[in-house]
Amino acid sequence: MKRIAVLGATGALLAGTIAAAPVATAGDRTAGGAAQGVSAEARGVGVAAARAAKAGVHWTDCPTAWGLKSPIQCGYVTVPIDYARPDGPSIRLAVDRVRSTGTPARRQGSLLYNPGGPGGSGMKFPTRVTSKNPLWTKMAQAYDFVGFDPRGVGHSAPISCEDPRAFVKAPKADPVPGDAADKRAQRKLAKEYADGCAQRSGALLRYMTTPDTARDMDVIRAALGEKKLNYLGVSYGTYLGAVYATLFPTHVRRLLVDSVVNPDQKDIWYQNNLNQDVAFEGRWKDFESWVARYDSVYHLGGTRAKVQQQWLGLRATAKRRPIGGVVGPAELIAFFQNAPYFDQSWPIIADAWSKYAAGDAKPLIKAAGPDYSNAATAENSNAVYTAVECNDAHWPTSWERWDRDNTALNARYPFMTWDNAWMNLPCATWTQPQHTPVDVRSHQGLPNVLIVQSTRDAATPYAGAVELHRRLRGSELITERAAGSHGVTGLVNPCVNDRVTAYFVDGRLDGHDVVCGPHAAPVPNGK
């Protein structure tokens, strides 16, 4: 699935014992010695978890450079690079926490969080407590909020595929190819990127997979001293949570997934990215309609069609001569794609666009131009995104198929199609082993899972939530209708918020699926 930078930067196991072996799946690599259908990885994660339970986490003040102030604490959990070899090379995963704010009697354990990606860091999660965000007050009384950098991310043995300054350098080529030569150039860049991953990321690269990260989560669970996991995952974090639930059903206590990746094996990951292109076009039109509604503020056109003409004109201008020398079509798309992701971004984007149309290009250049101060983080996130998606599944290697599929989609859904294609094309020439995705579904011992999804989500279309709901027996689905922001649980919508709190704090579900109205639509800044 597409990974972007958010605007503004949103089974018991006792020490000394080995947990029951998790369910073996088709996604597990096997090794000599695995017997009775239990994979070497399943054995290895039990060994690693037992060691982590004994070691615990040595919590200290976070390093100053991490920007996480007390009372947030930081530490590390050691995991094997290859779970089939638990005594082999290992890495340390960075974790942080803020302790529950309630009485000891109200504490229910730790709540682990993943924000998506692949490649997103969860280390900001405890700040939802320290910032006193009212949406999380009751949950903070019941849980320690725990974040982590997944393997390869941030402070957890970060991988790299390209020099960070080269990665953010602008302007880049227009993603929409004008001819065969443009396509050849993009194909060359994609292969060079895949080769760069192999050259720069070392032994960890082949073990950058969703199942391995799910195994890491079970080791973190053990290191936290928890018998069972409480988990909140958003976007790609929903797929990570679904894989965890499949591999470790008896280790789950409460698990909520928000804005859901379609877990069908045939959709991971090539088809999911094609499906995104269709959904992005629909949500882009929603944004244009909103801008037209506030034409008296933004002066970009009083109908969606007129706003689209403004967009095409802006794009053509940037193609002829990059704005400020650094903002071409690629940079415009990188900025404007925030609109289909988050309607909270609509006033910010429309304001920068409107000011440009009125003759002031500075806000647009600042928002869409290269950010060298964040280059290392951006490059690392993209490297992890690429590695995990390329490793998780078998991708088409035929350029003819990529060309045919994306040319056809672009004819009707041009906003994101080719940009998305080039981002994923390194997987066509990937040098590492590619695996069969985990067959996500319920197994004995899995408790009821809560699923939250908006109907017009662009990054993870609604069909994914329906499919996961079908696969996880006893799950309940909360649908936010007529809305499309990606990541529903962080928005103010009492119909959703109250049910999320009830699930985590009281273990209470409705006993049936629920449809909620949309959260409040954005309004122009200052209105």
Side-chain angles (χ1 to χ4, degrees), residues 243-289:
V243 169
Y244 183 90
T246 301
L247 296 178
F248 304 97
T250 61
H251 295 185
V252 174
R253 180 174 180 264
R254 288 176 193 151
L255 189 146
L256 186 151
V257 288
D258 170 6
S259 304
V260 180
V261 170
N262 191 323
D264 194 314
Q265 288 172 295
K266 72 179 187 323
D267 288 353
I268 301 292
W269 284 103
Y270 181 73
Q271 187 61 46
N272 271 339
N273 278 283
L274 296 179
N275 294 342
Q276 274 189 334
D277 300 335
V278 178
F280 263 101
E281 197 72 29
R283 194 59 178 159
W284 173 248
K285 291 178 180 177
D286 291 348
F287 167 64
E288 290 182 316
S289 296

Side-chain angles (χ1 to χ4, degrees), residues 47-57 77-78 219-220 222-224:
V47 171
R51 291 172 178 164
K54 185 175 181 179
V57 181
V77 175
T78 299
V219 177
I220 292 172
L224 293 171

Side-chain angles (χ1 to χ4, degrees), residues 173-253:
D174 186 344
V176 178
D179 54 27
D182 288 346
K183 294 178 181 179
R184 286 194 297 271
Q186 291 284 7
R187 291 172 64 191
K188 181 175 181 290
L189 289 173
K191 186 179 186 308
E192 289 173 349
Y193 189 82
D195 292 343
C197 294
Q199 293 162 8
R200 296 171 65 95
S201 292
L204 182 58
L205 183 63
R206 68 185 296 162
Y207 303 104
M208 293 292 300
T209 72
T210 300
D212 281 321
T213 303
R215 296 178 186 113
D216 291 344
M217 283 171 43
D218 203 56
V219 177
I220 292 172
R221 171 199 59 77
L224 293 171
E226 304 292 355
K227 294 181 178 180
K228 296 195 176 187
L229 183 74
N230 304 293
Y231 176 78
L232 170 60
V234 182
S235 191
Y236 164 77
T238 67
Y239 183 60
L240 178 59
V243 169
Y244 183 90
T246 301
L247 296 178
F248 304 97
T250 61
H251 295 185
V252 174
R253 180 174 180 264

